[in-house]
Amino acid sequence: MANPLKFDVLVIGSGILGTFHAYHALRAGYSVGLIEKNKKPQGATTRNFGQVVPSGLDTKWQKIGRRSLEIYKELQQETDISLQSNGSVYIASDNDEVRLIEELALQNQKVGYPSKLLTKTECLQKWPVLQPSYCQAGLFFPQEISLDPRITVHKIINYMIEKMGLKYFPSCQITQSLVLNRGVEFRSSDQRTFVGEKGIICNGSEFQTLYPELFGQSDLEVSKLHMLRTTPNPNLRIKGNILTGRTIRRYESFRECNSYKDVRESEPKDTFAKKYGIHILLTQAPDGTIVLGDSHEYADAKNKDALGYEIDQSINVFMLREAKKIFRIPNLEIQNTWFGLYSQCKTKDIFQHNIGGCLHIVTGIGGKGMTAGPGFAEKNLKLIL
């Protein structure tokens, strides 16, 4: 067997959590090996909207998301990570949703997070693609950003390799993890051995290879999301992230509003949208394509395969029909459809497990990975190291 590859910190998984644990470790002066089982990361980090929206998080996580905004913007100054700084808007479609955005605006004021209430007229002037029959008012967050998830994490990894001394090992499946007296050892399927003083496993929704019993006994669950991408709209420019009424009724920040419980109790029960956790979001990429979604189906970690590998066309048809009620976009021809998987905990914010003081498992950040991942990794790494 070849001599082991030695590092201060070894990170398994190069999604957003793994990449930023590696990034912050490098910034702190440690030698880092980042190991990825695929040729390139292709999990939830690359299959989402790229919306970085601390506005949707509860009070605790909003602070972490706001730090993430700073980190992304700092990185954009160093290298192009596809960042677009056009803000986010929540579009209210009825009086209940208007009441919720008004309450959230007051909460934002108290914590010093800039937001601005917009009238129907102001929304339609700023986003002419909105249907006047749908839009009643909006809440705009000027500091928020969007990224192209197809390329952002790859650009960050390349920057870390070229400028920060990262050692990156793609197409490397770790099959064995050992805790030693003074560190960790990972062994790969191609007979390589990696040794580190600290090991961090950011495995996303991959539960079958390392520590399957641990994950099977946890409260982790996996969410499956359907998403759509249109063909390019070269003559249309939609700035920022657009989040709509069902999002207002879903996101954690609105759950902290005084009226949220009353609004939820007044909603129709057992609808198709509720069954599949559908809410409509929109982001336009620099190439003119528009990403629409999304839906949510859940299965416990040990029953992940129950979610299946198929795309449910009835969900896509429903989302596209709802989108047409909200937006007046000339071209909504669908170019691609896909689903993503992310893991989350039922009773906690995130899954963390420590083995022997030197091996740390971090996953289950849920749908807030792109928004909160960089800030959380920075905070968590200080505790680990």
Side-chain angles (χ1 to χ4, degrees):
M1 184 179 292
N3 292 331
L5 298 159
K6 296 182 179 181
F7 297 90
D8 297 328
V9 179
L10 285 166
V11 182
I12 310 301
S14 62
I16 211 70
L17 269 180
T19 292
F20 274 100
H21 274 86
Y23 173 78
H24 293 301
L26 287 166
R27 289 198 66 185
Y30 295 93
S31 62
V32 179
L34 178 60
I35 303 171
E36 167 60 43
K37 68 183 177 67
N38 297 306
K39 186 175 181 179
K40 291 183 177 181
Q42 53 184 258
T45 293
T46 65
R47 302 189 191 196
N48 61 77
F49 289 91
Q51 296 185 351
V52 183
V53 285
S55 55
L57 305 181
D58 64 24
T59 302
K60 170 187 171 182
W61 282 91
Q62 187 196 88
K63 294 177 183 177
I64 299 172
R66 290 167 67 176
R67 175 57 187 147
S68 294
L69 283 175
E70 295 173 353
I71 294 167
Y72 281 127
K73 290 176 181 180
E74 290 166 3
L75 261 171
Q76 181 67 27
Q77 295 299 312
E78 298 295 325
T79 185
D80 180 15
I81 61 170
S82 79
L83 185 149
Q84 297 183 83
S85 188
N86 293 316
S88 303
V89 66
Y90 295 81
I91 301 298
S93 67
D94 60 27
N95 291 336
D96 284 340
E97 293 160 9
V98 170
R99 184 167 38 151
L100 286 173
I101 64 171
E102 289 173 345
E103 291 178 5
L104 186 59
L106 290 174
Q107 290 181 193
N108 296 328
Q109 199 171 38
K110 291 177 182 176
V111 300
Y113 190 43
S115 66
K116 182 181 179 182
L117 284 165
L118 302 176
T119 65
K120 175 175 183 169
T121 299
E122 289 172 325
C123 290
L124 294 174
Q125 287 174 344
K126 192 170 179 65
W127 296 280
V129 296
L130 292 169
Q131 293 281 9
S133 58
Y134 182 88
C135 173
Q136 302 304 313
L139 181 60
F140 180 62
F141 291 84
Q143 294 185 349
E144 298 188 342
I145 64 173
S146 56
L147 301 161
D148 188 336
R150 296 171 296 179
I151 59 177
T152 292
V153 74
H154 310 309
K155 285 178 171 283
I156 294 170
I157 291 170
N158 287 338
Y159 173 77
M160 290 159 61
I161 294 168
E162 294 171 5
K163 301 295 186 180
M164 301 179 73
L166 174 72
K167 301 300 180 184
Y168 185 48
F169 302 93
S171 302
C172 182
Q173 176 71 65
I174 298 299
T175 56
Q176 191 173 9
S177 170
L178 303 171
V179 175
L180 309 176
N181 290 333
R182 301 182 64 182
V184 297
E185 180 177 291
F186 297 124
R187 296 176 183 171
S188 66
S189 58
D190 59 3
Q191 306 304 308
R192 281 182 284 181
T193 301
F194 301 83
V195 175
E197 293 183 16
K198 297 286 185 180
I200 305 170
I201 298 176
C202 299
N203 54 304
S205 58
E206 165 55 61
F207 302 128
Q208 289 81 17
T209 307
L210 299 176
Y211 305 102
E213 291 185 5
L214 172 68
F215 297 122
Q217 294 168 5
S218 73
D219 74 337
L220 280 164
E221 63 181 1
V222 177
S223 179
K224 178 180 180 180
L225 296 79
H226 282 59
M227 302 183 71
L228 311 164
R229 183 183 297 276
T230 71
T231 54
N233 284 262
N235 299 319
L236 181 67
R237 192 70 217 135
I238 305 171
K239 292 186 176 181
N241 308 308
I242 301 182
L243 307 96
T244 62
R246 294 188 194 276
T247 311
I248 293 170
R249 294 169 181 270
R250 180 180 180 87
Y251 271 8
E252 295 170 357
S253 56
F254 294 98
R255 296 178 190 177
E256 296 183 334
C257 294
N258 292 331
S259 298
Y260 181 79
K261 185 177 179 181
D262 292 339
V263 170
R264 289 290 286 180
E265 288 179 351
S266 67
E267 290 179 355
K269 304 295 189 292
D270 300 324
T271 65
F272 187 89
K274 277 187 175 296
K275 179 180 179 181
Y276 291 106
I278 294 171
H279 62 136
I280 304 301
L281 314 178
L282 177 149
T283 302
Q284 188 175 31
D287 64 4
T289 61
I290 295 169
V291 180
L292 289 166
D294 58 2
S295 61
H296 299 79
E297 300 168 83
Y298 300 96
D300 292 342
K302 60 186 176 183
N303 296 318
K304 171 186 169 183
D305 290 348
L307 292 170
Y309 58 85
E310 295 180 335
I311 292 174
D312 187 334
Q313 193 60 21
S314 67
I315 294 175
N316 287 347
V317 168
F318 181 87
M319 291 194 299
L320 191 57
R321 186 167 65 241
E322 289 296 297
K324 290 177 179 178
K325 294 177 184 177
I326 300 170
F327 304 107
R328 42 183 182 178
I329 298 172
N331 172 27
L332 276 176
E333 180 184 351
I334 301 304
Q335 175 177 270
N336 306 111
T337 67
W338 70 95
F339 69 83
L341 298 173
Y342 68 69
S343 62
Q344 65 183 21
C345 296
K346 297 178 185 177
T347 59
K348 295 177 291 187
D349 296 334
I350 190 167
F351 181 89
Q352 293 180 273
H353 187 80
N354 179 344
I355 302 174
C358 56
L359 179 62
H360 302 266
I361 301 172
V362 188
T363 190
I365 197 171
K368 54 186 178 287
M370 287 297 285
T371 296
F376 175 81
E378 179 182 53
K379 183 178 179 182
N380 191 50
L381 199 70
K382 291 175 181 177
L383 299 175
I384 290 174
L385 301 177

